[in-house]
Amino acid sequence: MKALMLIPLVLLLSGQSLTQGTGIVTGTCSRAAHSNPGISYDFCVAYLQANPRSATSELGELGLISLELALSYASHTNYHIKELMHETGLDPNKKRCLKDCLDLYTKAIDMVSKSEDALKAKRYGDVNEWVNSVMEGLDRCENGFNGSDLVSPLTEENKDLSQLGFIVLAITSFLG
């Protein structure tokens, strides 16, 4: 279901060394995890090292890789929400919550795209503003289900995209 979760496993099984670029990735992830309890060191390392560019990246490029992952993740989740909304016999409250989340994820895709351009232009304040807005939207998505006494089918997606957002925010704080 979640292709992004399989990237580290596929690279391991294909024999590609995940130890490439470990210095910048592990150093950045260690610093990020220590600066923010919302960041899992293992998550950060697995996701960043899954991108072959991380082996030769500098800090700014790791920020772009994180945003690219976030964009891919948000796009995949947006598609997944659309699939969920077409389930037969869907509870009206759940459909309303999914619609709200779809709107929030659609906005997230736009904000993450804008953040990529802003990071390239070293406009870290804009990146922080837009990524924080995405993360607030993820909280609203999750809380919409909780407030309706429903179990969110998007909890893991919201959590993982939040992690990527925290990683981006940590990297921009290191850059700025």
Side-chain angles (χ1 to χ4, degrees), residues 3-173:
L4 288 177
M5 294 297 241
L6 297 176
I7 291 172
L9 179 63
V10 169
L11 291 176
L12 271 174
L13 295 176
S14 71
Q16 181 170 343
S17 173
L18 289 181
T19 59
Q20 297 173 332
T22 56
I24 185 74
V25 172
T26 58
T28 300
C29 290
S30 178
R31 240 176 111 189
H34 282 93
S35 71
N36 186 325
I39 299 173
S40 160
Y41 171 81
D42 292 334
F43 178 96
C44 180
V45 169
Y47 273 75
L48 291 180
Q49 284 186 340
N51 186 309
R53 289 189 351 250
S54 70
T56 57
S57 292
E58 294 188 21
L59 191 56
E61 182 70 15
L62 289 181
L64 284 173
I65 290 169
S66 299
L67 284 167
E68 290 165 4
L69 286 167
L71 181 59
S72 176
Y73 212 87
S75 297
H76 178 267
T77 302
N78 190 287
Y79 178 79
H80 178 63
I81 294 169
K82 290 176 185 175
E83 288 180 326
L84 290 172
M85 290 179 68
H86 288 97
E87 288 180 355
T88 309
L90 187 63
D91 175 271
N93 286 331
K94 186 174 183 179
K95 188 169 188 165
R96 179 189 45 77
C97 292
L98 287 169
K99 169 80 171 85
D100 291 344
C101 290
L102 182 64
D103 292 344
L104 293 165
Y105 268 88
T106 299
K107 290 175 186 169
I109 290 167
D110 180 56
M111 286 186 265
V112 172
S113 293
K114 291 188 330 188
S115 294
E116 287 179 323
D117 293 334
L119 185 62
K120 289 175 188 173
K122 299 182 180 186
R123 294 188 340 260
Y124 306 128
D126 289 341
V127 175
N128 292 343
E129 179 183 335
W130 292 324
V131 170
N132 274 312
S133 183
V134 167
M135 294 169 66
E136 289 169 9
L138 299 172
D139 287 341
R140 283 195 308 273
C141 171
E142 195 65 26
N143 291 337
F145 287 98
N146 297 337
S148 299
D149 292 327
L150 297 169
V151 175
S152 171
L154 303 171
T155 299
E156 193 167 329
E157 288 89 342
N158 291 335
K159 180 183 171 202
D160 289 350
L161 189 52
S162 286
Q163 284 259 345
L164 289 168
F166 283 131
I167 293 166
V168 170
L169 292 174
I171 289 173
T172 57
S173 76

